[in-house]
Amino acid sequence: MTFDEAIIKWNAALEKGPLTNPFLSSPVAGVSDKKYNQQQFVNRTFSAIIEELRETYEKNVATINLTQSQYDSLIILRDEEVFEDTYSERYPSWGLTTEQAMQAWLHPELVEVVD
């Protein structure tokens, strides 16, 4: 699923709206059963779409293997907001392409620390 597809799915779900559940009453004082059902529907729909996006992107994104010292250097550079076009040339021993280096810099959660 792409982000555009997620937006389309979200809008379509909101157009349809929630099915009312006569057995589900609002546990929140001052909130009608209808409003409670609507909010539960929005929360479930949003969570389902985000989870589907997560699954899509986790399948299509490769992890980047770095040693602990390489990872630490990456984080220091990231915190200083430094990135150069020649990033991979500065650290040739890392064996990263410029695209991989940029991906690691933007998304350090994709980095797998190896020995």
Side-chain angles (χ1 to χ4, degrees), residues 1-3 6 48-58:
M1 172 188 293
T2 66
F3 285 98
I49 290 172
I50 293 298
E51 189 56 37
E52 196 172 334
L53 278 170
R54 180 191 323 269
E55 289 172 8
T56 297
Y57 285 91
E58 284 178 351

Side-chain angles (χ1 to χ4, degrees), residues 3-72:
F3 285 98
D4 290 336
E5 291 169 340
I7 291 168
I8 291 168
K9 190 172 188 173
W10 172 257
N11 290 333
L14 291 183
E15 276 183 27
K16 255 198 290 189
L19 298 173
T20 57
N21 183 345
F23 302 109
L24 183 63
S25 59
S26 174
V28 182
V31 175
S32 71
D33 293 349
K34 182 178 178 180
K35 285 285 185 197
Y36 180 74
N37 280 330
Q38 287 172 335
Q39 189 59 52
Q40 290 298 313
F41 168 77
V42 168
N43 291 347
R44 284 191 302 273
T45 302
F46 180 77
S47 295
I49 290 172
I50 293 298
E51 189 56 37
E52 196 172 334
L53 278 170
R54 180 191 323 269
E55 289 172 8
T56 297
Y57 285 91
E58 284 178 351
K59 286 179 191 172
N60 295 318
V61 176
T63 57
I64 298 164
N65 296 326
L66 297 177
T67 66
Q68 186 65 52
S69 64
Q70 290 169 335
Y71 179 77
D72 293 341

